[in-house]
């Protein structure tokens, strides 16, 4: 293994990339600290000691969804107790409250609602943009774009243009889950395939919008499935350059229907973040989503190749419905303190990674 670590170190310093086989060997290795050191080196070369965070707010307009993914504790059928759909006024109140509190981004996602018309989504974006013109709208995923296309009879390209016209600024990275078809069949059989997710995201990039990418890990997938997922993202990024950040999402098992899944330990979480940093040489940012990782692992991740902490969030439902023990909101000061105590420089950013200033 020592020889492999040396080779990977040389590759990182020389600007080369590691192979899928090498990434798999790293997943199977037990040397967490060696892997972490390599990831820290890769990150330091790209981002120095700067760690980004943003002031944002999540708005989940509805949890009613025609897909019933077994990993998801958030989704409800139309008939089920606990289903909700926010009125436009409620959505706008949340957006205005966030904007007044200094949010630069509103992150809007929801279930695939069986009844809301296509016009609702355009009106929602346009109304938020009108009420909060300075705020960046990061909304929907490839899964919703595909659904809107079917709902409206318009092409994916037309839907993207409609959403851009209504104020869409970029897209989050959700819905990717794990691309491997055999696992996808078990955890989200009704969802679009991994290939379709990649195809839609490519169209979004070609239309000039940036997106993120995620990977849901710690359920039924193998290490080889994780490497396959990373390799497909790296290949798409080579073609478009449209991804900003990669966000591994640690699976939360409570209230879900994934048989035998136990959730993710600290070692696996850190190793996955670190290998992602090493493998995805064409991604500038690796983001720790503290909601799913917990605050302590998210902070330690800053020594394992991570250079971005999301965010103030404010009202998180998807992870918390599945048993996440993290808080639902973090004050900006708390994020700054976490970053500083990890020996890094906290830098507030906007959604497109323009620096808004080093935190004081
Ligand atoms: O696609 C659902 C995941 C995603 C569970 O791009 C779960 O900036 C863990 O994509 N345990 C939505 N994860 C969240 C998401 C996201 C979050 C923060 C930032 C960004 C970004 C994107 O949440 C879903 C799914 O992969 N998810 N259920 C669960 N039980």
């Amino acid at each position: 293994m020592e020889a492999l670590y040396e080779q990977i170190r040389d590759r990182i310093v020389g600007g080369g990339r590691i192979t899928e086989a090498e990434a798999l060997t790293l997943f199977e290795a037990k040397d967490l600290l060696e892997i972490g050191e390599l990831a820290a080196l890769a990150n330091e070369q790209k981002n120095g000691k700067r760690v980004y965070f943003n002031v944002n707010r999540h708005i989940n307009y509805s949890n009613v969804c025609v897909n019933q993914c077994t990993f998801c504790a958030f989704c409800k059928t139309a008939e089920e107790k606990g289903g909700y759909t926010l009125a436009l006024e409620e959505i706008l109140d949340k957006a205005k409250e966030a904007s007044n509190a200094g949010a630069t981004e509103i992150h809007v996602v929801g279930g695939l609602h069986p009844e809301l018309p296509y016009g609702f989504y355009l009106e929602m974006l346009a109304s938020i943009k009108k009420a909060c013109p300075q705020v960046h709208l990061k909304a929907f995923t490839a899964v919703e774009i595909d659904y809107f296309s079917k709902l409206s009879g318009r092409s994916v390209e037309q839907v993207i243009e409609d959403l851009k016209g209504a104020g869409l600024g970029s897209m989050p990275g959700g819905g990717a889950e794990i691309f491997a078809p055999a696992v996808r069949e078990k955890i989200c059989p009704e969802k679009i395939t991994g290939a379709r997710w990649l195809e839609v995201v490519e169209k979004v990039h070609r239309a000039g919008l940036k997106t993120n990418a995620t990977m849901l890990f710690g359920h039924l997938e193998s290490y080889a499935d994780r490497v396959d997922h990373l390799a497909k993202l790296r290949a798409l990024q080579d073609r478009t350059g449209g991804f900003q950040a990669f966000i591994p999402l640690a699976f939360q098992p409570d209230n879900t229907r994934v048989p035998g899944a136990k959730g993710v330990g600290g070692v696996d979480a850190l190793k996955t973040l670190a290998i992602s940093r090493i493998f995805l040489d064409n991604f500038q940012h690796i983001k720790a989503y503290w909601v799913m990782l917990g605050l302590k692992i998210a902070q330690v991740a800053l020594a394992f190749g991570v250079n971005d902490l999301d965010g103030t969030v404010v009202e998180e439902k998807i992870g918390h419905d599945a048993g996440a023990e993290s808080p639902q909101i973090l004050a900006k000061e708390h994020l700054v303190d976490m970053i500083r105590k990890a020996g890094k420089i906290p830098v507030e950013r906007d959604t497109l990674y323009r620096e808004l200033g080093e935190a004081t």
Side-chain angles (χ1 to χ4, degrees):
M1 281 306 284
E2 280 312 314
L4 176 66
Y5 295 139
E6 269 317 302
Q7 275 174 30
I8 294 179
R9 186 181 307 277
D10 290 347
R11 218 89 54 78
I12 292 169
V13 172
R17 57 174 42 167
I18 69 166
T19 65
E20 291 177 50
E22 287 166 339
L24 189 56
T25 308
L26 291 182
F27 270 114
E28 284 160 355
K30 302 270 180 274
D31 313 307
L32 176 66
L33 294 183
E34 295 264 16
I35 297 168
E37 212 183 313
L38 291 170
L41 173 67
N43 174 47
E44 184 108 5
Q45 288 203 164
K46 280 192 186 309
N47 300 300
K49 289 209 174 309
R50 299 170 92 68
V51 170
Y52 293 107
F53 68 93
N54 70 345
V55 178
N56 65 351
R57 196 214 201 278
H58 287 214
I59 301 180
N60 302 126
Y61 48 88
S62 178
N63 62 353
V64 177
C65 192
V66 298
N67 286 352
Q68 293 293 305
C69 303
T70 62
F71 63 77
C72 185
F74 171 68
C75 65
K76 298 276 181 286
T77 61
E79 302 75 36
E80 214 174 326
K81 218 174 107 214
Y84 74 84
T85 303
L86 299 179
L88 195 52
E89 282 309 311
E90 294 173 281
I91 296 169
L92 290 178
D93 285 347
K94 288 178 194 288
K96 283 187 246 173
E97 193 183 289
S99 176
N100 292 338
T104 58
E105 167 188 292
I106 303 203
H107 176 144
V108 186
V109 288
L112 304 184
H113 197 285
E115 277 147 28
L116 288 173
Y118 180 51
F120 167 84
Y121 303 99
L122 300 176
E123 192 188 348
M124 174 170 67
L125 291 194
S127 310
I128 299 177
K129 200 69 198 171
K130 190 163 170 229
C132 317
Q134 310 88 316
V135 168
H136 180 105
L137 277 179
K138 184 178 81 175
F140 309 128
T141 69
V143 178
E144 282 112 307
I145 303 282
D146 175 82
Y147 186 63
F148 297 161
S149 167
K150 291 182 181 124
L151 189 66
S152 63
R154 293 170 66 72
S155 69
V156 164
E157 286 83 353
Q158 286 170 327
V159 167
I160 297 166
E161 288 311 314
D162 293 344
L163 294 172
K164 271 169 72 178
L168 184 70
S170 67
M171 244 172 57
E177 321 314 355
I178 199 87
F179 296 140
V183 182
R184 218 172 165 85
E185 185 54 40
K186 293 201 178 94
I187 64 165
C188 47
E190 297 125 331
K191 191 166 260 177
I192 56 170
T193 62
R196 178 66 173 160
W197 188 94
L198 290 159
E199 188 185 317
V200 172
V201 168
E202 180 154 4
K203 290 182 197 290
V204 174
H205 291 172
R206 302 258 177 241
L209 292 184
K210 297 287 185 192
T211 78
N212 292 330
T214 57
M215 172 175 76
L216 182 67
F217 71 101
H219 41 89
L220 304 178
E221 86 291 358
S222 65
Y223 289 146
D225 295 330
R226 293 186 197 178
V227 173
D228 168 70
H229 192 95
L230 294 174
K232 291 196 161 70
L233 291 176
R234 189 168 77 175
L236 178 54
Q237 180 75 330
D238 277 344
R239 292 202 298 280
T240 67
F243 288 119
Q244 298 199 110
F246 176 64
I247 312 148
L249 295 169
F251 176 58
Q252 312 292 311
D254 290 4
N255 308 317
T256 66
R257 288 160 290 119
V258 179
K262 294 190 179 60
V264 177
V267 171
D268 193 22
L270 291 172
K271 208 200 245 185
T272 304
L273 287 157
I275 296 169
S276 304
R277 174 62 291 165
I278 298 166
F279 188 85
L280 295 174
D281 62 316
N282 54 2
F283 278 62
Q284 186 70 29
H285 309 287
I286 303 293
K287 193 196 274 193
Y289 187 44
W290 54 261
V291 167
M292 308 296 186
L293 294 169
L295 294 177
K296 291 179 182 173
I297 292 292
Q299 187 189 31
V300 175
L302 301 179
F304 284 76
V306 164
N307 73 305
D308 192 10
L309 266 190
D310 187 344
T312 49
V313 179
V314 179
E315 189 184 18
E316 202 287 327
K317 291 182 185 297
I318 298 171
H320 286 89
D321 284 353
E325 287 171 358
S326 51
Q328 280 207 310
I329 173 170
L330 268 195
K332 174 174 161 175
E333 294 68 33
H334 195 150
L335 286 167
V336 168
D337 189 56
M338 279 169 75
I339 297 170
R340 205 166 269 141
K341 286 187 174 143
K344 305 280 180 164
I345 304 164
V347 182
E348 185 179 346
R349 64 164 176 87
D350 69 8
T351 310
L352 299 174
Y353 288 83
R354 288 178 295 225
E355 297 192 357
L356 303 177
E358 280 178 31
T360 48

